[in-house]
């Protein structure tokens, strides 16, 4: 299907708790350590290689780097004394320990890959359940700290680049998805100012249907949004060409020649570069993955490259130099 490269990533998460233990917000540090030791013991039987990290042993910059890459959540950092996680060698599976729940198993992969992510994660979950014994009720399903996760404990999402739909306003899409039991949110930024026109669509309900039901519906919604985005792009190209070219070329000039640039402005400009490239307004000399570049210019990821904390102005200057070189090499 045309436009599937607009789907950056798929993510599937399963929330689980170990029978007989308090939820993380109710257990003390000693019980939290016992839970962690049980999970560490269970993970010794996994054939796939993982690296284990305790958040309290990591410096602040590394914590932020892991969070920017979505391997851990803000909830993990807020429970820093109890929280730890495993990361698979291919960086697609992360296992968060001691966040809101005992375990948050997560698998991410590029493109529309919900089914592959789910079955890879489901296999891991079954093996851990045999060793740990997850809290389960025949009527309510898997028991979770937050009632909104009861049942399957499944949270599936896709991340999609939607600049043309955003140009005309996203309110109708928000309302429509809400009625269907799904939610859409800005992946970066806030409800006031989304960054890079990247949105994450996910299921709101976790109780009442099997996991496959939510996954298939989400996949269908994602493909429908891609189709809507492609139609809007055609309208922009043929009916608002001057406005479109102005947005794209302004963004190009900013990234090519600016001396300092904020993360927020750089994200919006890269979004326009991607749109302009997709519509052949910009013609790259060599392949470029704009979504990868968006990840590289995040604050912690940017500072990881220089391996020390930068002041805000230094970050903006470093980011601008990187993007200047990138556009010179590619376009």
């Amino acid at each position: 299907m045309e436009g599937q490269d607009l789907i950056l990533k798929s993510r599937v998460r399963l929330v689980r708790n170990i029978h007989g233990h308090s939820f993380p917000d109710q257990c003390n540090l000693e019980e939290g350590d016992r839970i962690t030791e049980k999970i560490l013991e269970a993970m010794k039987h996994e054939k796939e290689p993982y690296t284990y990290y305790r958040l309290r042993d990591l410096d602040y910059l590394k914590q932020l780097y892991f969070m920017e890459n979505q391997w851990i959540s803000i909830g993990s950092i807020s429970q820093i004394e109890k929280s730890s996680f495993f990361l698979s060698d291919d960086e697609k599976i992360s296992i968060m320990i001691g966040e809101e729940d005992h375990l948050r198993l997560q698998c991410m992969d590029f493109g529309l890959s919900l089914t592959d992510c789910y079955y890879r994660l489901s296999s891991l979950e079954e093996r851990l359940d045999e060793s740990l014994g997850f809290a389960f009720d025949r009527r309510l399903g898997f028991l979770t700290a937050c009632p909104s996760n009861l049942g399957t404990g499944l949270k599936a999402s896709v991340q999609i680049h939607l600049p043309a739909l955003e140009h005309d306003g996203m309110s109708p899409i928000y309302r429509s998805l809400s009625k269907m039991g799904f939610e859409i949110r800005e992946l970066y930024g806030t409800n006031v100012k989304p960054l890079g026109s990247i949105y994450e669509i996910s299921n709101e309900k976790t109780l009442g249907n099997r996991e496959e039901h939510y996954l298939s519906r989400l996949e269908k919604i994602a493909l429908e949004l891609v189709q809507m985005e492609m139609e809007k792009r055609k309208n922009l190209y043929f009916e608002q060409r001057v406005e479109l070219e102005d947005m794209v070329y302004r963004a190009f000039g900013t990234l090519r020649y600016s001396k300092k640039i904020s993360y927020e402005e750089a994200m919006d400009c890269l979004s326009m570069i991607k749109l302009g490239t997709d519509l052949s307004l910009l013609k790259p000399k060599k392949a470029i993955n704009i979504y990868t570049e968006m990840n590289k210019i995040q604050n912690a990821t940017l500072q990881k490259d220089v391996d020390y904390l930068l002041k805000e102005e230094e970050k903006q200057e470093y980011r601008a130099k990187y993007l200047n070189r990138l556009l010179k090499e590619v376009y």
Side-chain angles (χ1 to χ4, degrees), residues 114-215:
L114 289 167
T115 301
D116 289 344
C117 285
Y118 172 69
Y119 283 114
R120 185 175 176 188
L121 205 59
S122 179
S123 177
L124 170 63
E125 187 268 350
E126 288 176 5
R127 293 192 299 272
L128 290 176
D129 189 18
E130 289 180 8
S131 300
L132 298 169
F134 293 140
F136 184 83
D137 180 88
R138 291 185 63 184
R139 184 172 63 91
L140 297 175
F142 289 102
L143 303 180
T144 58
C146 180
S148 64
N149 290 321
L150 277 173
T152 60
L154 171 82
K155 190 75 164 182
S157 64
V158 288
Q159 300 166 14
I160 313 181
H161 186 219
L162 302 173
L165 286 173
E166 182 183 88
H167 182 265
D168 283 353
M170 297 290 290
S171 294
I173 295 173
Y174 277 75
R175 291 194 296 268
S176 177
L177 288 177
S178 180
K179 291 177 182 177
M180 297 167 64
F182 288 80
E183 61 181 347
I184 180 170
R185 70 178 184 91
E186 298 82 2
L187 185 59
Y188 306 103
T190 67
N191 291 327
V192 177
K193 183 67 175 72
L195 301 180
S197 305
I198 296 175
Y199 292 83
E200 186 170 63
I201 298 90
S202 61
N203 60 300
E204 282 187 312
K205 297 178 180 179
T206 59
L207 184 64
N209 287 289
R210 293 182 60 83
E211 292 86 346
E212 290 83 358
H213 169 81
Y214 298 115
L215 295 171

Side-chain angles (χ1 to χ4, degrees), residues 16-39 56 78-83 97-103 145:
R16 297 292 185 263
N17 289 282
I18 301 172
H19 178 75
H21 285 282
S22 304
F23 292 130
D25 66 340
Q26 297 296 315
C27 68
N28 57 30
L29 188 58
E30 183 180 345
E31 185 178 9
D33 284 343
R34 287 202 305 271
I35 292 167
T36 299
E37 288 304 317
K38 282 187 175 182
I39 296 168
R56 64 193 183 207
S78 68
Q79 297 273 0
I80 192 166
E81 288 301 317
K82 301 176 187 176
S83 293
I97 303 170
E99 195 229 32
E100 186 179 49
D101 296 271
H102 297 155
L103 281 167

Side-chain angles (χ1 to χ4, degrees), residues 61 300 302-311 314 318:
L61 182 58
L302 193 75
Q303 293 174 95
K304 183 176 178 290
D305 287 343
V306 296
D307 203 29
Y308 64 90
L309 286 169
L310 299 170
K311 296 178 181 177
E314 290 175 323
Y318 187 83

Side-chain angles (χ1 to χ4, degrees), residues 11 13 51 53-56 58-80 83-87 91 93-97 99 104 106 108 185:
R11 176 164 58 162
R13 188 197 72 198
T51 303
Y53 301 91
R54 279 190 185 272
L55 262 64
R56 64 193 183 207
L58 302 175
D59 62 47
Y60 182 63
L61 182 58
K62 187 156 282 188
Q63 292 171 22
L64 290 182
Y65 170 73
F66 286 138
M67 189 173 71
E68 282 183 354
N69 283 277
Q70 300 178 311
W71 296 321
I72 61 173
S73 66
I74 187 67
S76 297
I77 293 179
S78 68
Q79 297 273 0
I80 192 166
S83 293
S84 57
F85 75 104
F86 286 91
L87 182 64
E91 299 183 339
I93 292 182
S94 65
I95 303 169
M96 290 172 261
I97 303 170
E99 195 229 32
R104 290 201 168 196
Q106 176 181 272
M108 295 186 293
R185 70 178 184 91

